[in-house]
């Protein structure tokens, strides 16, 4: 299945998505802020990124541009 990166500062949203996607057979990576999300993205080459727009550190738009 797919490797999916969730970048969201809301832990409840992040955990709920991770549980749902893991149960569906996907490998899930997660980050609570834009800086760590971008680092995980660069080191793991996920197939899909679920990205919150309003993040601490780097905004979702800045992460997308990075």
């Amino acid at each position: 299945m797919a490797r999916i990166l969730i970048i969201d500062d809301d832990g409840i949203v992040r955990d709920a998505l991770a549980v749902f996607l893991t149960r569906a057979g996907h490998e899930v990576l997660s980050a609570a802020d834009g800086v760590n999300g971008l680092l995980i993205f660069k080191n793991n080459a996920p197939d899909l990124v679920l990205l919150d727009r309003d993040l601490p550190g780097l905004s979702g738009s800045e992460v997308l541009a990075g």
Side-chain angles (χ1 to χ4, degrees):
M1 288 280 175
R3 177 181 294 158
I4 301 172
L5 172 57
I6 302 167
I7 307 174
D8 198 315
D9 60 330
D10 186 330
I12 294 171
V13 171
R14 208 172 48 245
D15 292 346
L17 286 170
V19 167
F20 177 75
L21 294 168
T22 300
R23 286 182 181 167
H26 301 289
E27 178 184 350
V28 176
L29 307 166
S30 65
D33 59 60
V35 173
N36 286 317
L38 193 55
L39 182 62
I40 292 170
F41 178 84
K42 289 180 178 180
N43 290 329
N44 294 281
D47 300 304
L48 176 70
V49 178
L50 301 176
L51 177 61
D52 185 10
R53 284 188 47 194
D54 186 22
L55 294 168
L58 293 174
S59 71
S61 298
E62 292 170 320
V63 172
L64 186 59

